[in-house]
Amino acid sequence: MVIQLYRYFVSTKNSPSLNAIGWRSRIQMEEKNLGYENVLVIDDSTQKSAFATSDKLGQHILEPSVNPRRELPVLEDGTVIVTDEGAIMQYLEECYSDVNVTLLPDPEKERDKYAEVLSLFHEALNCYSNSKDILDALIKDDKETLKSKDFKIRVQFWKKKMKDELKQWNELLTQREYLWPLISNSRLSAADCAFYPFLAILIRYGFDMKGLDNLVAYHQRVSKRDSVLKSKPSRWDSGEIEAVFATQFNN
């Protein structure tokens, strides 16, 4: 049975980047050359079910009981259901760990390298988790939240904290093309799969990358990979996403 990944479908009311949900695991599956099916889910409060998919004009419904939080992405692999993207990525690495598809060093032969990549993987996941409330408001185009004074103050604090965080990643990429050398000289590491979409979202929304030249070059390099080109959100390259960090949140 083909792996199914439930992720948001962007309606006309939503930002194109809403499709970025589930992007990390899609890049991972592309790098691992795993067959999978995208199940696009309408995010529209007027729908009776927030889990009615658009692939077959709403013919399939993912039962809300699968994920009581009603959050996506959700991965369905036969009878197995996995929620939370970090858990999805870990599941894919542990259950599809053949030497020809793994995105981690061999824990038996290279335990120290395995530990380092695993640490980078979780640090990359934490970057998004620590920014989730800010990015969710942007991705879902929550205008009421975006206009609030309290939110703008939080954004300014978050931007300073995130700039300090990005400086550390920028330093890591000194004399490196990727966070970790390509696995078997061909595949992105799990850490890169987890980190790149987060960075891409920041850049897409106009985050100030001044002084972060290594990260900018890294973004340009990874953006050209087949796994990214095949999995990137629809309309990602359109001009429909406002660079809000460079406009209303530039002070």
Side-chain angles (χ1 to χ4, degrees):
M1 183 175 291
V2 177
I3 296 171
Q4 292 183 310
L5 183 70
Y6 293 82
R7 62 188 183 87
Y8 284 115
F9 170 72
V10 178
S11 71
T12 56
K13 297 180 181 179
N14 295 324
S15 164
S17 68
L18 193 55
N19 262 335
I21 293 173
W23 194 8
R24 293 174 290 185
S25 46
R26 296 203 303 280
I27 293 177
Q28 180 188 24
M29 287 189 282
E30 291 289 350
E31 290 285 344
K32 294 171 79 68
N33 199 27
L34 295 178
Y36 67 99
E37 175 187 357
N38 279 305
V39 182
L40 304 180
V41 180
I42 297 172
D43 181 39
D44 191 334
S45 60
T46 64
Q47 297 289 327
K48 291 183 178 180
S49 171
F51 291 93
T53 71
S54 66
D55 272 353
K56 297 180 181 179
L57 301 177
Q59 294 300 305
H60 184 92
I61 295 177
L62 178 64
E63 293 295 332
S65 59
V66 169
N67 186 358
R69 295 180 182 273
R70 302 179 72 84
E71 293 180 351
L72 295 173
V74 171
L75 182 135
E76 185 175 4
D77 186 14
T79 59
V80 175
I81 298 291
V82 189
T83 61
D84 180 83
E85 193 158 22
I88 289 172
M89 296 184 76
Q90 184 173 342
Y91 169 84
L92 291 170
E93 282 309 311
E94 292 181 356
C95 295
Y96 295 90
S97 58
D98 183 271
V99 66
N100 294 317
V101 298
T102 184
L103 304 185
L104 293 170
D106 189 322
E108 297 297 327
K109 298 178 180 179
E110 302 177 299
R111 182 169 295 185
D112 56 337
K113 294 180 180 179
Y114 173 84
E116 186 174 348
V117 177
L118 195 62
S119 296
L120 289 172
F121 169 70
H122 283 283
E123 288 173 14
L125 292 178
N126 287 338
C127 279
Y128 189 90
S129 296
N130 294 336
S131 307
K132 190 175 186 301
D133 62 331
I134 302 290
L135 296 181
D136 277 0
L138 296 172
I139 289 173
K140 296 180 181 180
D141 195 23
D142 185 346
K143 290 183 170 53
E144 182 176 347
T145 298
L146 295 178
K147 292 179 180 179
S148 72
K149 183 177 181 180
D150 176 67
F151 182 76
K152 292 183 178 181
I153 292 174
R154 286 194 293 123
V155 167
Q156 296 308 319
F157 176 79
W158 169 83
K159 283 175 63 178
K160 183 180 184 303
K161 185 177 180 180
M162 185 50 56
K163 193 65 178 281
D164 291 338
E165 174 72 21
L166 291 178
K167 287 178 181 178
Q168 296 185 45
W169 292 96
N170 190 72
E171 181 65 25
L172 177 66
L173 285 164
T174 301
Q175 299 183 341
R176 289 191 186 188
E177 291 188 335
Y178 304 97
L179 297 182
W180 190 260
L182 295 177
I183 306 297
S184 299
N185 296 314
S186 62
R187 300 185 298 276
L188 283 179
S189 73
D192 288 283
C193 293
F195 181 72
Y196 168 80
F198 171 71
L199 178 64
I201 289 172
L202 293 185
I203 291 176
R204 187 71 179 84
Y205 277 107
F207 192 91
D208 180 14
M209 299 298 292
K210 185 178 180 180
L212 302 173
D213 295 346
N214 294 335
L215 279 174
V216 172
Y218 169 83
H219 173 261
Q220 294 172 344
R221 186 177 304 115
V222 178
S223 294
K224 297 175 183 178
R225 291 188 65 83
D226 286 345
S227 60
V228 173
L229 295 174
K230 291 177 180 178
S231 64
K232 69 181 178 180
S234 60
R235 297 185 292 167
W236 183 256
D237 296 324
S238 73
E240 298 179 47
I241 302 177
E242 181 184 6
V244 291
F245 290 131
T247 54
Q248 69 243 51
F249 299 127
N250 63 341
N251 294 321

